[in-house]
Amino acid sequence: MAKMSLDPVQVMSGQVKELRVSPSANGAGGGSREEEEEAEPRAVAGRRVRKVEGGVFFPKPENAVTVAVSSRVLFRTEREQKVFEERGVEEYLRYQIEHENEPFAPGPAFPFVKALEAVNARLRELYPQSDELFDIVLVTYNHAHVGVRLINTINHHNLFIERFCMTGGSSPIGYLKAWQTNLYLSADADKVREALAEGIAAATMFVAEKVTEVSESQLRVAFDGDAVLFSDESERIFKAHGLDKFFEHERDNEDTLLDHGPLKGFLEALGKLQKKFYAKGQRLNCPIRTYLVTARSAASSGIRALKTLRAWGLEIDEALFLAGAPKGPMLEKIRPHIYFDDQMFHVEGAAEMGTVAAHVPYGIAQKHDQKHNAGARK
């Protein structure tokens, strides 16, 4: 089993494999200053932003799919975190200022964010005037002084992130609601639970010792079913009464829709963008692909899950019903940019195989020791 720490501040030992990612669609290009002014204005050195009707373009929050990412999962900040914990906030700030020209290395959310930007590039080609795009917000508890290093790092990695939320130690949850956030990724499990309690899709990310290379041209997002896309209603039956009662409950309620889970809204948002590609005849070449990876059995309990998704008007590109088999090997084949699961047992198993997995601390499974729930049918 991977050396996964339940404290996301601590990371697995070993080096993270350097990921090869393609330049952002907003990356630097050649040409004279006059050509740049006639084409797209540069927001900061080395990157370009869109120009619409003579002005710089940023998507409106009400139209965009907003993904808020903590600096501690977008970048590797373990050394700085250690300085903060051992030497206090003043030394931490001094350290950050002294090293502000040294960019952070990519963290576990970095390939996911690069994939979001790749999708945006395709959307802009098809819909030049549309602001139905992914909008990435960097969220950090850091003091504003640290912002210089973060901006330098973003420019170094050629990321298109213009929206920052630096709270100086305060909770960011209220700001997430103001941004109309569709997904929040953080290393702080407490803040993730706080976001979930406010109805914001959220998950805790970890740094793994093994990371598999992922697609540079197609965003792949994998979801568990119960307590992630769906509520934990069926999981509660299993925990309380066992597998036989779980199967009986699912058969009796086959035509009763499952209630929504915390990540349903994010799947909806992905589906909305997928349909924009379908409308242009690009279903088979869509740069977004979604997966359901569940330990449910297909014949015994899978039909209710599929009927629920269909009734919601949501499409899953691939559905894997594993009947209790380990998820890690399947995820290794999928190579998603991120996989969401409510049980740490499955998160650790996925990480062992090199998948970037995020924990959704929601539902009845949080009240049980994960090591004793390997056989859960979810």
Side-chain angles (χ1 to χ4, degrees):
M1 180 60 64
K3 299 177 182 178
M4 175 73 72
S5 170
L6 295 185
D7 178 3
V9 174
Q10 301 175 0
V11 298
M12 302 179 199
S13 60
Q15 297 295 319
V16 174
K17 185 175 181 181
E18 185 69 20
L19 294 174
R20 293 184 296 103
V21 292
S22 61
S24 167
N26 303 294
S32 67
R33 181 175 180 180
E34 290 78 10
E35 289 172 338
E36 292 172 2
E37 289 175 350
E38 291 176 1
E40 294 176 339
R42 291 183 180 273
V44 293
R47 294 186 296 119
R48 290 177 295 178
V49 297
R50 289 180 61 208
K51 183 170 72 174
V52 175
E53 295 181 355
V56 174
F57 175 88
F58 298 103
K60 297 177 181 178
E62 60 268 25
N63 296 330
V65 177
T66 301
V67 177
V69 184
S70 164
S71 60
R72 287 171 57 198
V73 298
L74 183 57
F75 304 122
R76 298 290 298 269
T77 62
E78 302 94 275
R79 182 182 302 146
E80 290 72 18
Q81 186 67 21
K82 186 176 182 181
V83 171
F84 173 77
E85 293 173 351
E86 294 181 353
R87 295 157 59 183
V89 65
E90 297 303 325
E91 286 297 318
Y92 168 80
L93 291 174
R94 185 176 295 110
Y95 179 91
Q96 291 281 34
I97 293 172
E98 289 174 352
H99 294 81
E100 64 184 19
N101 292 319
E102 300 173 15
F104 295 112
F110 188 90
F112 175 65
V113 168
K114 292 293 285 187
L116 299 183
E117 295 190 344
V119 173
N120 277 354
R122 290 279 301 277
L123 284 168
R124 289 177 181 128
E125 292 174 0
L126 297 174
Y127 301 94
Q129 304 301 316
S130 175
D131 58 2
E132 290 185 285
L133 303 161
F134 289 110
D135 192 17
I136 303 158
V137 180
L138 184 67
V139 177
T140 175
Y141 302 121
N142 273 302
H143 189 281
H145 286 327
V146 184
V148 173
R149 189 178 186 189
L150 290 171
I151 292 171
N152 287 339
T153 299
I154 285 170
N155 293 341
H156 172 82
H157 291 295
N158 201 31
L159 296 173
F160 184 76
I161 302 177
E162 297 292 348
R163 305 192 199 274
F164 273 39
C165 184
M166 293 176 281
T167 68
S170 299
S171 172
I173 303 304
Y175 297 113
L176 296 180
K177 297 179 75 173
W179 286 116
Q180 301 181 43
T181 301
N182 297 94
L183 177 68
Y184 173 49
L185 299 174
S186 175
D188 189 328
D190 290 335
K191 289 299 178 287
V192 167
R193 282 188 284 268
E194 187 179 342
L196 289 170
E198 293 294 329
I200 300 169
T204 311
M205 296 193 76
F206 307 85
V207 175
E209 67 177 50
K210 175 184 177 182
V211 177
T212 302
E213 289 188 4
V214 291
S215 173
E216 299 174 355
S217 59
Q218 184 180 64
L219 170 66
R220 299 176 185 175
V221 183
F223 300 87
D224 181 27
D226 296 281
V228 177
L229 291 180
F230 314 121
S231 73
D232 66 340
E233 166 206 327
S234 299
E235 186 77 8
R236 288 178 178 273
I237 298 296
F238 170 75
K239 298 294 186 188
H241 304 291
L243 189 57
D244 289 341
K245 284 291 185 182
F246 167 79
F247 286 146
E248 179 183 337
H249 177 267
E250 293 305 289
R251 285 194 300 269
D252 292 345
N253 292 275
E254 177 181 308
D255 295 320
T256 302
L257 300 184
L258 289 158
D259 199 358
H260 67 85
L263 269 292
K264 178 207 173 189
F266 184 58
L267 177 60
E268 285 180 322
L270 293 177
K272 179 181 73 172
L273 295 184
Q274 282 181 308
K275 289 176 181 177
K276 293 177 73 69
F277 291 100
Y278 301 166
K280 295 290 187 176
Q282 297 197 17
R283 176 180 285 271
L284 298 181
N285 191 33
C286 182
I288 304 172
R289 193 162 185 85
T290 56
Y291 303 79
L292 173 65
V293 182
T294 172
R296 279 178 177 254
S297 304
S300 303
S301 57
I303 192 168
R304 188 180 183 199
L306 294 177
K307 284 185 174 181
T308 297
L309 289 172
R310 187 170 63 190
W312 287 346
L314 299 182
E315 295 187 33
I316 282 281
D317 294 301
E318 298 188 30
L320 284 72
F321 293 93
L322 303 184
K327 298 181 178 182
M330 297 296 104
L331 291 166
E332 183 183 29
K333 299 301 181 184
I334 294 171
R335 297 195 173 196
H337 292 85
I338 192 167
Y339 168 62
F340 297 100
D341 202 295
D342 68 304
Q343 296 199 44
M344 278 303 302
F345 174 83
H346 293 303
V347 170
E348 291 173 344
E352 185 180 38
M353 305 299 291
T355 296
V356 175
H359 181 230
V360 182
Y362 172 86
I364 190 66
Q366 311 314 309
K367 299 181 181 179
H368 292 255
D369 183 353
Q370 304 301 323
K371 294 182 179 180
H372 294 88
N373 287 307
R377 294 296 187 268
K378 21 182 319 289

